[in-house]
Amino acid sequence: MASLLPFATPPAPAPARLSAARHRWGLLGVSVVLFMAGLDSNIVNVALPTLARELHQPFAAVQWVVLSYLLVTTAIMAAVGRLGDLLGKKRVYLAGTLLFTLGSLLCGSSSSIGLLVAARAVQGIGGAVCLALSYAVGGDLVPPERMGRTIGLLSTVASVGMTAGPTLGGLLLTWLGWQAMFLVNVPLGLLAYGLLQRSLRAPGPQPGVGVDWAGMGLMAGWVTCYTLGLTWIETDGLASPLVLGLLVAAAGGVAGFVAYEQRVRQPFLAPHVLRHGPLSASLLASLLVQAIMIATTIVLTYFLTGAAHYSPARIGLLLSVGPLTTALLSPFAGYFSDRFGAQRIMLAGVGLMALAALSLTFLPPVPSDWLLGLRLVLLSLGFTLFRTPNNALVITLAPLAERGLVSGLLMQTRTLGQITGAALVGSVFALLIRRAGFADVSQASVPVLVRSTHGACWLIASLALAAVALVYASSRRASTPDS
């Protein structure tokens, strides 16, 4: 398939054709890396009270164990993806896998909060490489006509890792202590490294292309300010000088980054990449969809706890329906993408998400489990039908010479969407509670909680309808003869 993107850099040579055995071992290695990265995205959350107690630290200090990893991975994902293009995806991917494994070992060996936070940052650098390049490396292993099924398989593995994180983390914490939650990655990382070292035949460095370190640093700076600003907006509020300062710095950083990239001879993020209509639409739609999913989880948790008075176990069981649906159906979504075209399946997916989000605006104070579960299945089915074809489309549209960059941007928009969705719906929900005369969600009456939930769900539905419009417009544009 010919790429729709003009080349900003010399085309990279196509990877050597692998034997069937090497192909299988390579995909297995990528799958282990994605499982490991998915597992670590939320395995630590259940251990925060234990870490606070055993390391004798307040929660404000312990939360940096999560925040340091999040900040590093979000800030540099696009940059390390581009480094994979320039220095060779195999070389950078293997280095990232080793660094993630080393960081996990350092985390499990830490004896103080400072060492643990620093080790998590090291782990985050490796995690950024693993997340940014996994789809690009996996895409290099298969022809375009099998891209959807391959991305579907890898998406399933990542979903299983994220779903298993809290459960496995709780078991390891109970049986072996918090150190085991990090050390479990060491044998997995070494296994993945061995598989990838033997099977990957990725091209080497691109000759004559420099690394735009300044551009990468500028992007990491504004992404870090944006992430911190939205993380603290839920506790400090938008009026906080710190939050306002961070968001203003992020806006200024974006402007400075764009101006710099337009002047530099070999930019890290070439302007033509974001001017490519279908690609930029897919990235923006990915951000919206991720915002919808995290926002729905947050709103329903508030609603089911305060209004319906569900137990934590019952809430966890209901909310697990979504990840389970995604894990089971991702391979089928990939097959449908290859069979019927990615954008048709994506449009069906965001349409189902919009229907599910609209149905949540009419939740009764005490919904039946099966009706709520049906809504969550519908939402997660739509998410799966969108995500897998969208990931495959993004990787297919990217030229081989820029596939790492585009894969990194895809994963970065996913994380930024989650951060944005959490901050947006949390702020709107809290605002609706305060307008009803209550200082905090825990003090609100059931009718106020129900009305606030409906208001937040209308916001989620609006985001879903915006995603429908975006995907529809992109598919119409792609189907015209001049596109």
Side-chain angles (χ1 to χ4, degrees):
M1 178 183 294
S3 170
L4 300 179
L5 278 172
F7 285 102
T9 55
R17 185 176 298 276
L18 300 177
S19 67
R22 287 186 180 275
H23 166 217
R24 287 193 295 269
W25 289 121
L27 282 181
L28 179 59
V30 175
S31 297
V32 173
V33 169
L34 269 179
F35 176 80
M36 192 169 57
L39 189 71
D40 217 71
S41 64
N42 56 9
I43 193 174
V44 181
N45 296 343
V46 297
L48 292 182
T50 302
L51 289 171
R53 183 178 64 252
E54 295 194 7
L55 297 178
H56 310 290
Q57 295 292 328
F59 180 77
V62 171
Q63 70 175 344
W64 278 95
V65 175
V66 174
L67 196 54
S68 61
Y69 183 85
L70 175 67
L71 286 174
V72 172
T73 53
T74 306
I76 67 172
M77 266 194 277
V80 296
R82 185 58 178 151
L83 287 177
D85 292 327
L86 299 178
L87 305 180
K89 286 193 282 291
K90 176 180 179 179
R91 176 188 297 181
V92 176
Y93 196 55
L94 287 175
T97 303
L98 274 184
L99 194 59
F100 184 87
T101 306
L102 174 62
S104 300
L105 180 61
L106 293 174
C107 287
S109 307
S110 298
S111 57
S112 68
I113 189 65
L115 291 174
L116 181 56
V117 170
R120 281 284 281 175
V122 172
Q123 191 186 38
I125 298 172
V129 176
C130 295
L131 291 169
L133 288 177
S134 286
Y135 287 135
V137 171
D140 286 349
L141 293 170
V142 297
E145 61 270 16
R146 290 188 57 85
M147 185 72 73
R149 277 163 282 189
T150 301
I151 298 299
L153 170 66
L154 296 179
S155 298
T156 294
V157 172
S159 297
V160 169
M162 287 185 284
T163 304
T167 302
L168 182 59
L171 293 175
L172 291 172
L173 182 65
T174 302
W175 294 341
L176 300 173
W178 63 265
Q179 294 87 348
M181 300 171 66
F182 300 106
L183 296 177
V184 69
N185 292 321
V186 175
L188 291 175
L190 294 176
L191 172 63
Y193 183 88
L195 291 170
L196 295 167
Q197 174 65 36
R198 292 174 61 87
S199 58
L200 293 187
R201 291 292 183 269
Q206 293 185 25
V209 181
V211 179
D212 178 18
W213 296 109
M216 293 178 180
L218 286 171
M219 186 174 198
W222 73 256
V223 169
T224 299
C225 290
Y226 180 79
T227 302
L228 281 174
L230 290 191
T231 299
W232 287 333
I233 197 174
E234 297 179 59
T235 55
D236 296 358
L238 183 59
S240 164
L242 177 61
V243 171
L244 282 175
L246 286 168
L247 294 180
V248 169
V254 171
F257 171 73
V258 171
Y260 176 81
E261 291 295 278
Q262 289 177 336
R263 293 198 314 268
V264 70
R265 180 171 170 269
Q266 292 180 334
F268 140 64
L269 179 56
H272 75 267
V273 174
L274 297 182
R275 284 199 296 262
H276 182 277
L279 179 60
S280 56
S282 288
L283 293 174
L284 181 56
S286 176
L287 187 147
L288 289 173
V289 164
Q290 294 293 340
I292 292 165
M293 296 303 292
I294 191 67
T296 303
T297 300
I298 291 172
V299 168
L300 287 182
T301 300
Y302 280 134
F303 170 76
L304 294 174
T305 300
H309 304 295
Y310 280 24
S311 67
R314 191 177 176 186
I315 294 172
L317 186 61
L318 269 172
L319 294 181
S320 69
V321 169
L324 182 61
T325 302
T326 299
L328 291 175
L329 298 182
S330 287
F332 297 99
Y335 171 78
F336 292 146
S337 174
D338 291 336
R339 179 70 176 82
F340 302 107
Q343 289 181 317
R344 291 180 181 178
I345 307 302
M346 290 161 56
L347 186 58
V350 289
L352 289 176
M353 292 185 72
L355 288 176
L358 287 169
S359 73
L360 290 173
T361 62
F362 301 102
L363 277 177
V366 184
S368 68
D369 286 1
W370 76 270
L371 281 178
L372 179 56
L374 184 62
R375 288 177 168 99
L376 292 175
V377 167
L378 185 64
L379 182 71
S380 298
L381 174 61
F383 172 70
T384 305
L385 290 176
F386 168 82
R387 186 185 69 166
T388 300
N390 184 66
N391 291 351
L393 178 65
V394 167
I395 299 301
T396 303
L397 287 176
L400 191 59
E402 295 175 314
R403 185 170 279 181
L405 167 65
V406 173
S407 178
L409 286 172
L410 175 65
M411 301 307 290
Q412 194 169 50
T413 57
R414 186 193 74 170
T415 307
L416 289 175
Q418 292 171 344
I419 294 168
T420 303
L424 184 61
V425 78
S427 299
V428 169
F429 195 82
L431 177 63
L432 293 173
I433 294 292
R434 288 196 298 270
R435 283 189 173 181
F438 295 92
D440 188 73
V441 174
S442 61
Q443 303 170 3
S445 63
V446 170
V448 169
L449 284 171
V450 172
R451 288 197 301 271
S452 300
T453 298
H454 291 167
C457 287
W458 276 112
L459 171 63
I460 294 170
S462 299
L463 295 176
L465 291 172
V468 170
L470 184 62
V471 174
Y472 176 75
S474 178
S475 62
R476 291 279 295 176
R477 180 178 177 183
S479 64
T480 59
D482 294 335
S483 64

